[in-house]
Structure formats: C-alpha cells, structure tokens
Amino acid sequence: MLDLRPNCECCDVDLPGDSTDAFICSFECTFCRSCAEGRLQQRCPNCGGQLLSRPARVGQALANNPASILRVNKHHATCA
C-alpha cells in the first residue's frame, strides 16, 4: 500500500491522501504538481526516476487507511 506522504518534499505544500496534485516516483518520493512539472521536469531529484501522478485514496479507503502524518523535506538545489 502506498504511504501517501502528506507534503511536497520540495516546497512543503500539503498533499492530503485524496489530492490529485501529488506526484510520486517508484520509491514514493512525493512532490506537488507545480514542483514536479516545473522545477523538477518530471524527474525525482532523489533517484532520477520518473514522477507520475499519485493515485488518490478516497472515501472509506482513506478513512480505513489514512495518509501518513510524517512530513519529508529534502533540500535539493532544484528546490531552491
């Protein structure tokens, strides 16, 4: 099951579990649409992998399996 991290690792904007603006790589590094499409050009600064739209978890699935509350922030030159 996806971890559904609660924020963009680049700009720290909130990304709730039901957000359609979250992008992830295969390691679940998480970024907002603005950073993923703009600054990062669809490439994860951690692993170089492709950033794709994260599936939203909604309704009872989100209630039964809430998103993580652990915020991840990594300071990359591309995020400055």
Side-chain angles (χ1 to χ4, degrees):
M1 177 173 16
L2 290 174
D3 194 31
L4 297 184
R5 294 178 185 168
N7 66 302
C8 174
E9 292 182 23
C10 195
C11 72
D12 200 35
V13 70
D14 290 338
L15 294 169
D18 59 355
S19 175
T20 58
D21 287 326
F23 283 70
I24 60 172
C25 71
S26 65
F27 291 99
E28 296 186 48
C29 300
T30 304
F31 301 94
C32 69
R33 178 180 304 278
S34 178
C35 289
E37 292 177 347
R39 293 178 175 143
L40 303 176
Q41 298 295 300
Q42 301 292 115
R43 288 287 165 204
C44 178
N46 300 318
C47 68
Q50 184 179 17
L51 293 174
L52 299 172
S53 183
R54 180 182 77 185
R57 191 175 298 159
V58 297
Q60 198 59 43
L62 183 58
N64 292 342
N65 302 282
S68 172
I69 59 169
L70 178 63
R71 297 180 82 83
V72 177
N73 286 324
K74 297 188 178 175
H75 301 287
H76 300 284
T78 53
C79 294

Coordinates of all heavy atoms in Angstrom, one line a residue:
M1 N 0.8 -1.2 0.0 CA 0.0 0.0 0.0 C 0.9 1.2 0.0 O 1.9 1.3 0.7 CB -0.9 0.0 1.2 CG -1.8 1.2 1.4 SD -3.0 1.1 2.7 CE -2.5 -0.1 3.8
L2 N 0.5 2.2 -0.8 CA 1.3 3.5 -0.8 C 1.2 4.2 0.5 O 0.2 4.2 1.2 CB 0.7 4.4 -1.9 CG 0.9 4.0 -3.4 CD1 0.1 5.0 -4.3 CD2 2.4 4.0 -3.7
D3 N 2.3 4.8 0.8 CA 2.5 5.6 2.1 C 1.6 6.8 2.1 O 1.2 7.3 3.2 CB 4.0 5.9 2.3 CG 4.3 6.4 3.7 OD1 3.7 5.9 4.6 OD2 5.2 7.2 3.8
L4 N 1.4 7.5 1.0 CA 0.7 8.7 0.9 C 1.3 9.8 1.8 O 0.7 10.2 2.8 CB -0.8 8.6 1.1 CG -1.6 7.7 0.2 CD1 -3.1 7.7 0.6 CD2 -1.4 8.0 -1.2
R5 N 2.5 10.2 1.5 CA 3.2 11.2 2.3 C 2.3 12.5 2.2 O 1.8 12.8 1.2 CB 4.6 11.4 1.8 CG 5.4 10.2 2.1 CD 6.8 10.3 1.6 NE 7.5 9.0 1.7 CZ 8.7 8.8 1.2 NH1 9.3 9.7 0.4 NH2 9.2 7.6 1.4
P6 N 2.3 13.3 3.3 CA 1.4 14.4 3.4 C 1.9 15.8 2.8 O 1.1 16.7 2.9 CB 1.2 14.5 4.9 CG 2.6 14.2 5.5 CD 3.0 13.0 4.6
N7 N 3.1 15.8 2.2 CA 3.6 17.1 1.8 C 4.5 16.9 0.6 O 5.1 15.8 0.4 CB 4.3 17.8 2.9 CG 5.5 17.1 3.3 OD1 5.5 15.9 3.8 ND2 6.7 17.8 3.3
C8 N 4.8 18.0 -0.1 CA 5.8 18.0 -1.2 C 7.1 18.1 -0.5 O 7.4 19.0 0.3 CB 5.5 19.3 -2.1 SG 6.8 19.5 -3.3
E9 N 8.0 17.3 -0.9 CA 9.4 17.3 -0.4 C 10.2 18.5 -0.8 O 11.2 18.8 -0.2 CB 10.2 16.0 -0.9 CG 9.6 14.7 -0.3 CD 10.4 13.5 -0.7 OE1 11.6 13.7 -1.1 OE2 9.9 12.4 -0.7
C10 N 9.7 19.2 -1.8 CA 10.4 20.3 -2.3 C 9.9 21.6 -1.7 O 10.7 22.4 -1.1 CB 10.2 20.4 -3.9 SG 11.3 21.4 -4.7
C11 N 8.7 21.9 -1.7 CA 8.1 23.2 -1.3 C 7.3 23.1 0.0 O 6.8 24.1 0.5 CB 7.3 23.9 -2.4 SG 5.7 23.1 -2.7
D12 N 7.1 21.9 0.5 CA 6.4 21.6 1.7 C 4.9 21.9 1.7 O 4.2 22.0 2.7 CB 7.0 22.3 2.9 CG 6.6 21.7 4.3 OD1 6.4 20.4 4.3 OD2 6.4 22.4 5.3
V13 N 4.3 22.1 0.5 CA 2.8 22.3 0.4 C 2.1 21.0 0.9 O 2.6 19.9 0.7 CB 2.4 22.7 -1.0 CG1 2.5 21.6 -2.0 CG2 1.0 23.2 -1.0
D14 N 1.0 21.1 1.5 CA 0.2 20.0 1.9 C -0.4 19.2 0.8 O -0.9 19.8 -0.2 CB -1.0 20.4 2.8 CG -0.6 21.0 4.2 OD1 0.6 20.7 4.6 OD2 -1.3 21.7 4.8
L15 N -0.3 17.9 0.9 CA -0.8 17.0 -0.2 C -1.6 15.9 0.6 O -1.1 14.8 0.8 CB 0.3 16.4 -1.0 CG 1.1 17.3 -1.9 CD1 2.3 16.7 -2.4 CD2 0.2 17.9 -3.0
P16 N -2.9 16.1 0.9 CA -3.7 15.1 1.6 C -3.8 13.9 0.7 O -3.6 13.9 -0.5 CB -5.0 15.8 1.8 CG -5.0 17.1 1.1 CD -3.6 17.4 0.6
G17 N -4.2 12.8 1.4 CA -4.4 11.5 0.7 C -5.3 11.5 -0.5 O -5.1 10.7 -1.4
D18 N -6.3 12.4 -0.5 CA -7.2 12.4 -1.7 C -6.8 13.5 -2.7 O -7.5 13.8 -3.6 CB -8.6 12.7 -1.2 CG -8.8 14.0 -0.4 OD1 -7.8 14.7 -0.1 OD2 -10.0 14.3 0.0
S19 N -5.6 14.1 -2.6 CA -5.2 15.1 -3.5 C -4.9 14.5 -4.9 O -4.3 13.5 -5.0 CB -3.9 15.8 -3.0 OG -3.4 16.7 -3.9
T20 N -5.3 15.3 -5.9 CA -5.0 14.9 -7.3 C -3.8 15.7 -7.8 O -3.4 15.6 -9.0 CB -6.2 15.2 -8.2 OG1 -6.6 16.5 -8.1 CG2 -7.4 14.3 -7.8
D21 N -3.1 16.4 -6.9 CA -2.0 17.2 -7.3 C -0.7 16.7 -6.8 O 0.4 17.3 -6.8 CB -2.1 18.7 -6.8 CG -3.1 19.5 -7.6 OD1 -3.2 19.2 -8.8 OD2 -3.8 20.3 -7.0
A22 N -0.7 15.4 -6.3 CA 0.5 14.8 -5.8 C 1.2 13.9 -6.9 O 0.5 13.2 -7.7 CB 0.2 13.9 -4.6
F23 N 2.5 13.9 -7.0 CA 3.3 13.1 -7.9 C 4.3 12.3 -7.1 O 4.8 12.8 -6.1 CB 4.0 14.0 -8.9 CG 3.1 14.5 -10.0 CD1 2.1 15.5 -9.7 CD2 3.2 14.1 -11.3 CE1 1.3 16.0 -10.7 CE2 2.3 14.5 -12.3 CZ 1.4 15.5 -12.0
I24 N 4.5 11.1 -7.5 CA 5.5 10.2 -6.8 C 6.4 9.5 -7.8 O 6.1 9.3 -9.0 CB 4.8 9.1 -6.0 CG1 3.9 8.2 -6.8 CG2 4.0 9.8 -4.9 CD1 3.3 7.1 -6.1
C25 N 7.6 9.0 -7.3 CA 8.4 8.2 -8.1 C 8.2 6.7 -7.6 O 7.4 6.5 -6.7 CB 9.9 8.6 -7.9 SG 10.6 8.3 -6.3
S26 N 9.0 5.8 -8.1 CA 8.8 4.4 -7.6 C 9.2 4.1 -6.2 O 8.9 3.1 -5.6 CB 9.5 3.4 -8.6 OG 10.9 3.7 -8.5
F27 N 9.9 5.1 -5.6 CA 10.3 5.0 -4.2 C 9.4 5.8 -3.3 O 9.6 6.0 -2.1 CB 11.7 5.5 -4.0 CG 12.7 4.6 -4.6 CD1 13.3 4.9 -5.8 CD2 13.1 3.4 -4.0 CE1 14.2 4.0 -6.4 CE2 14.1 2.5 -4.5 CZ 14.6 2.9 -5.8
E28 N 8.3 6.3 -3.8 CA 7.3 7.1 -3.2 C 7.7 8.5 -2.7 O 7.1 9.1 -1.8 CB 6.6 6.3 -2.0 CG 5.9 5.1 -2.4 CD 5.2 4.4 -1.3 OE1 4.5 5.0 -0.5 OE2 5.4 3.1 -1.1
C29 N 8.8 9.0 -3.3 CA 9.2 10.4 -3.0 C 8.0 11.2 -3.6 O 7.4 10.8 -4.6 CB 10.5 10.7 -3.7 SG 11.9 9.7 -3.2
T30 N 7.6 12.2 -2.8 CA 6.3 12.9 -3.1 C 6.5 14.4 -3.4 O 7.2 15.0 -2.6 CB 5.4 12.7 -2.0 OG1 5.2 11.3 -1.7 CG2 4.0 13.3 -2.3
F31 N 5.9 14.9 -4.5 CA 6.1 16.3 -4.9 C 4.7 16.8 -5.4 O 3.9 16.0 -5.8 CB 7.1 16.4 -6.0 CG 8.4 15.9 -5.6 CD1 8.8 14.6 -5.8 CD2 9.3 16.7 -4.9 CE1 10.1 14.1 -5.4 CE2 10.6 16.2 -4.5 CZ 10.9 14.9 -4.7
C32 N 4.5 18.1 -5.2 CA 3.3 18.7 -5.8 C 3.4 18.8 -7.3 O 4.5 18.7 -7.9 CB 3.1 20.1 -5.1 SG 4.2 21.3 -5.6
R33 N 2.3 19.1 -7.9 CA 2.2 19.2 -9.3 C 3.1 20.3 -9.8 O 3.8 20.2 -10.8 CB 0.8 19.5 -9.8 CG 0.6 19.7 -11.3 CD -0.8 20.0 -11.7 NE -1.7 18.9 -11.2 CZ -1.9 17.8 -11.9 NH1 -1.3 17.5 -13.0 NH2 -2.8 16.9 -11.4
S34 N 3.1 21.5 -9.1 CA 3.9 22.6 -9.5 C 5.4 22.3 -9.6 O 6.1 22.6 -10.5 CB 3.6 23.8 -8.6 OG 4.4 24.9 -8.9
C35 N 5.9 21.7 -8.5 CA 7.3 21.3 -8.5 C 7.6 20.2 -9.5 O 8.6 20.3 -10.2 CB 7.7 20.9 -7.0 SG 7.7 22.3 -5.9
A36 N 6.8 19.2 -9.5 CA 7.0 18.1 -10.4 C 7.1 18.5 -11.9 O 8.0 18.1 -12.6 CB 6.0 17.0 -10.2
E37 N 6.2 19.3 -12.3 CA 6.1 19.7 -13.7 C 7.0 20.9 -14.0 O 7.5 21.0 -15.1 CB 4.7 20.0 -14.1 CG 3.8 18.8 -14.1 CD 2.3 19.1 -14.4 OE1 1.9 20.3 -14.3 OE2 1.6 18.2 -14.6
G38 N 7.3 21.7 -13.0 CA 8.1 22.9 -13.2 C 9.6 22.7 -12.9 O 10.4 22.3 -13.8
R39 N 9.9 22.8 -11.7 CA 11.3 22.8 -11.2 C 12.0 21.4 -11.6 O 13.1 21.4 -11.9 CB 11.4 22.9 -9.7 CG 11.0 24.3 -9.3 CD 11.1 24.3 -7.7 NE 10.8 25.7 -7.3 CZ 10.1 25.9 -6.2 NH1 9.7 25.0 -5.4 NH2 10.0 27.2 -5.8
L40 N 11.2 20.3 -11.4 CA 11.8 19.0 -11.5 C 11.7 18.4 -12.8 O 12.3 17.3 -13.1 CB 11.2 18.1 -10.4 CG 11.3 18.6 -9.0 CD1 10.6 17.7 -8.0 CD2 12.8 18.8 -8.6
Q41 N 10.9 18.9 -13.7 CA 10.8 18.4 -15.1 C 10.4 16.9 -15.1 O 11.0 16.1 -15.9 CB 12.0 18.7 -15.9 CG 12.3 20.2 -16.1 CD 11.3 20.9 -16.9 OE1 11.0 20.5 -18.0 NE2 10.6 21.8 -16.3
Q42 N 9.5 16.5 -14.2 CA 9.1 15.1 -14.1 C 10.1 14.1 -13.7 O 10.0 12.9 -13.9 CB 8.4 14.7 -15.4 CG 7.2 15.5 -15.8 CD 6.0 15.4 -14.9 OE1 5.6 16.3 -14.2 NE2 5.4 14.2 -14.8
R43 N 11.2 14.5 -13.1 CA 12.3 13.6 -12.6 C 12.5 13.8 -11.1 O 12.7 14.9 -10.6 CB 13.6 13.9 -13.3 CG 13.6 13.5 -14.8 CD 13.7 12.0 -14.9 NE 13.4 11.6 -16.2 CZ 12.9 10.4 -16.5 NH1 12.8 9.5 -15.6 NH2 12.6 10.1 -17.7
C44 N 12.6 12.7 -10.4 CA 12.8 12.8 -9.0 C 14.2 13.2 -8.7 O 15.2 12.6 -9.2 CB 12.6 11.4 -8.4 SG 12.9 11.3 -6.6
P45 N 14.5 14.2 -7.8 CA 15.8 14.6 -7.5 C 16.5 13.7 -6.6 O 17.8 13.7 -6.5 CB 15.6 16.0 -6.8 CG 14.3 15.9 -6.2 CD 13.5 15.1 -7.2
N46 N 15.8 12.7 -6.0 CA 16.5 11.8 -5.1 C 17.0 10.6 -5.9 O 18.1 10.1 -5.6 CB 15.4 11.2 -4.1 CG 14.9 12.3 -3.3 OD1 15.6 13.2 -2.8 ND2 13.6 12.3 -3.0
C47 N 16.3 10.0 -6.9 CA 16.7 8.8 -7.5 C 16.8 9.0 -9.1 O 17.3 8.1 -9.7 CB 15.7 7.7 -7.2 SG 14.1 7.9 -7.9
G48 N 16.3 10.1 -9.6 CA 16.3 10.3 -11.0 C 15.2 9.6 -11.8 O 15.1 9.7 -13.0
G49 N 14.3 9.0 -11.0 CA 13.2 8.3 -11.6 C 12.1 9.2 -12.1 O 12.0 10.4 -11.7
Q50 N 11.2 8.7 -12.9 CA 10.1 9.4 -13.4 C 9.0 9.7 -12.3 O 8.7 8.9 -11.5 CB 9.4 8.6 -14.5 CG 8.3 9.3 -15.3 CD 7.8 8.4 -16.4 OE1 8.0 7.2 -16.4 NE2 7.0 9.0 -17.3
L51 N 8.5 11.0 -12.3 CA 7.4 11.4 -11.4 C 6.1 11.2 -12.2 O 5.9 11.8 -13.3 CB 7.6 12.8 -11.0 CG 8.8 13.0 -10.1 CD1 9.0 14.5 -9.8 CD2 8.7 12.2 -8.8
L52 N 5.2 10.5 -11.5 CA 3.9 10.2 -12.1 C 2.8 10.6 -11.1 O 3.1 10.7 -9.9 CB 3.7 8.8 -12.5 CG 4.7 8.2 -13.5 CD1 4.5 6.7 -13.6 CD2 4.5 8.8 -14.8
S53 N 1.6 10.9 -11.6 CA 0.5 11.3 -10.7 C 0.3 10.2 -9.7 O 0.2 9.0 -10.0 CB -0.7 11.5 -11.6 OG -1.8 11.9 -10.8
R54 N 0.2 10.6 -8.4 CA -0.1 9.6 -7.4 C -1.6 9.3 -7.3 O -2.4 10.2 -7.4 CB 0.3 10.2 -6.0 CG 0.1 9.3 -4.8 CD 0.5 9.9 -3.5 NE -0.6 10.9 -3.1 CZ -0.4 11.7 -2.0 NH1 0.7 11.6 -1.3 NH2 -1.4 12.5 -1.7
P55 N -2.0 8.1 -7.3 CA -3.4 7.8 -7.2 C -4.0 8.3 -5.9 O -3.4 8.3 -4.8 CB -3.5 6.2 -7.1 CG -2.2 5.7 -7.5 CD -1.2 6.9 -7.3
A56 N -5.2 8.9 -6.0 CA -5.9 9.4 -4.8 C -6.6 8.3 -4.0 O -7.1 7.4 -4.6 CB -6.9 10.5 -5.2
R57 N -6.5 8.4 -2.7 CA -7.3 7.4 -1.9 C -8.5 8.2 -1.3 O -8.3 9.2 -0.7 CB -6.4 6.9 -0.7 CG -6.9 5.7 0.0 CD -6.0 5.2 1.0 NE -4.8 4.7 0.4 CZ -3.6 4.6 1.1 NH1 -3.5 4.9 2.3 NH2 -2.5 4.1 0.4
V58 N -9.7 7.7 -1.6 CA -10.9 8.4 -1.2 C -11.8 7.6 -0.4 O -11.7 6.3 -0.3 CB -11.6 8.9 -2.5 CG1 -10.7 9.9 -3.2 CG2 -12.0 7.8 -3.4
G59 N -12.8 8.3 0.2 CA -13.9 7.6 0.8 C -13.5 6.7 2.0 O -12.6 7.1 2.8
Q60 N -14.1 5.6 2.1 CA -13.9 4.6 3.1 C -12.4 4.1 3.1 O -11.9 3.8 4.2 CB -14.9 3.5 3.1 CG -15.0 2.7 4.4 CD -15.4 3.6 5.6 OE1 -16.3 4.4 5.5 NE2 -14.7 3.4 6.7
A61 N -11.9 4.0 1.9 CA -10.5 3.5 1.8 C -9.5 4.5 2.5 O -8.6 4.0 3.2 CB -10.1 3.4 0.4
L62 N -9.8 5.8 2.4 CA -9.0 6.8 3.1 C -9.2 6.8 4.6 O -8.3 6.9 5.4 CB -9.2 8.2 2.5 CG -8.3 9.3 3.1 CD1 -6.8 9.0 2.9 CD2 -8.7 10.6 2.4
A63 N -10.5 6.6 4.9 CA -10.9 6.5 6.4 C -10.2 5.3 7.1 O -9.7 5.4 8.2 CB -12.4 6.5 6.5
N64 N -10.2 4.2 6.4 CA -9.7 3.0 6.9 C -8.1 2.9 6.9 O -7.5 2.2 7.7 CB -10.2 1.7 6.2 CG -11.7 1.5 6.5 OD1 -12.2 2.1 7.5 ND2 -12.3 0.8 5.7
N65 N -7.6 3.6 5.9 CA -6.1 3.6 5.7 C -5.7 5.1 5.5 O -5.4 5.5 4.3 CB -5.8 2.8 4.4 CG -6.3 1.3 4.6 OD1 -5.7 0.5 5.3 ND2 -7.4 1.1 4.0
P66 N -5.6 5.8 6.5 CA -5.2 7.3 6.4 C -3.8 7.5 5.9 O -3.0 6.6 6.0 CB -5.4 7.8 7.8 CG -5.3 6.7 8.7 CD -5.8 5.5 7.9
A67 N -3.6 8.7 5.3 CA -2.3 9.1 4.8 C -1.3 9.2 6.0 O -1.7 9.4 7.1 CB -2.4 10.4 4.1
S68 N -0.1 9.1 5.7 CA 1.0 9.3 6.7 C 0.9 10.7 7.2 O 0.5 11.6 6.6 CB 2.3 9.0 6.0 OG 3.4 9.4 6.9
I69 N 1.4 10.9 8.4 CA 1.5 12.2 9.0 C 3.0 12.6 9.1 O 3.3 13.8 9.5 CB 0.9 12.3 10.4 CG1 1.5 11.3 11.4 CG2 -0.6 12.0 10.3 CD1 1.1 11.5 12.8
L70 N 3.9 11.8 8.7 CA 5.3 12.1 8.7 C 5.7 12.9 7.5 O 5.6 12.5 6.4 CB 6.1 10.8 8.7 CG 7.6 10.9 8.7 CD1 8.1 11.6 10.0 CD2 8.3 9.6 8.5
R71 N 6.1 14.2 7.8 CA 6.4 15.1 6.7 C 7.9 14.9 6.3 O 8.7 14.7 7.2 CB 6.2 16.5 7.1 CG 4.7 16.8 7.4 CD 4.5 18.2 7.8 NE 4.4 19.1 6.7 CZ 3.4 19.3 5.9 NH1 2.2 18.7 6.2 NH2 3.4 20.2 4.9
V72 N 8.2 14.9 5.0 CA 9.5 14.7 4.5 C 9.9 15.9 3.7 O 9.2 16.4 2.8 CB 9.6 13.4 3.6 CG1 11.0 13.3 3.0 CG2 9.2 12.2 4.3
N73 N 11.0 16.5 4.1 CA 11.6 17.7 3.4 C 13.0 17.4 3.1 O 13.8 17.1 4.0 CB 11.5 18.9 4.2 CG 10.1 19.5 4.3 OD1 9.3 19.4 3.3 ND2 9.7 20.0 5.4
K74 N 13.4 17.5 1.8 CA 14.8 17.3 1.4 C 15.2 18.6 0.7 O 14.5 19.1 -0.2 CB 15.0 16.1 0.6 CG 14.6 14.8 1.3 CD 14.9 13.6 0.6 CE 14.6 12.4 1.4 NZ 14.8 11.2 0.7
H75 N 16.3 19.1 1.0 CA 16.8 20.4 0.4 C 17.7 20.1 -0.8 O 18.8 19.7 -0.6 CB 17.5 21.2 1.5 CG 16.6 21.6 2.6 ND1 15.5 22.5 2.5 CD2 16.5 21.1 3.9 CE1 14.9 22.5 3.7 NE2 15.5 21.7 4.5
H76 N 17.1 20.2 -2.0 CA 17.8 20.0 -3.2 C 18.1 21.3 -3.9 O 17.3 22.3 -3.7 CB 17.0 19.1 -4.2 CG 16.7 17.8 -3.6 ND1 17.6 16.8 -3.5 CD2 15.5 17.3 -3.1 CE1 17.0 15.7 -3.0 NE2 15.8 16.0 -2.7
A77 N 19.1 21.4 -4.6 CA 19.4 22.6 -5.4 C 18.2 23.0 -6.3 O 17.9 24.2 -6.5 CB 20.7 22.5 -6.2
T78 N 17.5 22.0 -6.9 CA 16.4 22.2 -7.8 C 15.2 22.8 -7.1 O 14.3 23.3 -7.7 CB 16.0 20.9 -8.5 OG1 15.8 19.9 -7.5 CG2 17.1 20.5 -9.5
C79 N 15.2 22.7 -5.7 CA 14.0 23.2 -5.0 C 14.3 24.6 -4.4 O 13.4 25.1 -3.7 CB 13.7 22.2 -3.8 SG 13.2 20.6 -4.4
A80 N 15.4 25.1 -4.7 CA 15.7 26.4 -4.1 C 14.9 27.5 -4.7 O 14.4 27.5 -5.8 CB 17.2 26.7 -4.2

